[in-house]
Amino acid sequence: KKMLQVVVRFIVSAVVLLLIGWLLPGIQVAGIWGALGAALVITLLGYLVEMLLGDRISPRSRGMVGFVVAAVVIYVAQFAIPSLLSVSIIGALLAALVIGLIDSIVPTTLR
């Protein structure tokens, strides 16, 4: 189940970065390889953050914490792959919002 969540997060991140990354202000992705590379880094960093935080987040605050963590992870990912991803704080917040919205409509059997 956990591996399926990781795969879904990777796919959602890659699609969001590829298809609407150019629409969002403050975010630049270097084509398909940039989107895939950024999605991989975002997925790995997100997985590590989830491992560190674990179940210490209450169900009520999980949505807000997830949004903030996603934005921070997207922002930090640019430093791991500077030639593939460039993002401002606003761009990271907007991308995290879009990823969160898409993640919320993915069927719960996939999450």
Side-chain angles (χ1 to χ4, degrees):
K1 180 180 175 181
K2 194 69 161 172
M3 185 55 75
L4 185 58
Q5 289 174 324
V6 170
V7 170
V8 169
R9 177 177 292 137
F10 172 77
I11 292 169
V12 168
S13 296
V15 169
V16 166
L17 290 170
L18 184 62
L19 296 180
I20 66 166
W22 59 274
L23 286 174
L24 297 175
I27 187 166
Q28 294 178 331
V29 181
I32 293 172
W33 294 113
L36 292 174
L40 181 63
V41 171
I42 289 166
T43 301
L44 292 174
L45 289 175
Y47 183 76
L48 291 173
V49 168
E50 276 186 15
M51 285 179 59
L52 290 173
L53 295 178
D55 294 330
R56 290 183 276 184
I57 305 170
S58 72
R60 252 200 293 141
S61 63
R62 189 171 302 276
M64 183 54 105
V65 170
F67 169 72
V68 171
V69 167
V72 169
V73 164
I74 291 167
Y75 186 77
V76 169
Q78 72 178 327
F79 300 111
I81 49 170
S83 63
L84 299 178
L85 178 68
S86 174
V87 63
S88 68
I89 292 173
I90 298 295
L93 290 170
L94 290 172
L97 178 66
V98 172
I99 290 170
L101 289 173
I102 291 172
D103 187 45
S104 71
I105 60 173
V106 171
T108 49
T109 56
L110 293 178
R111 286 191 269 149

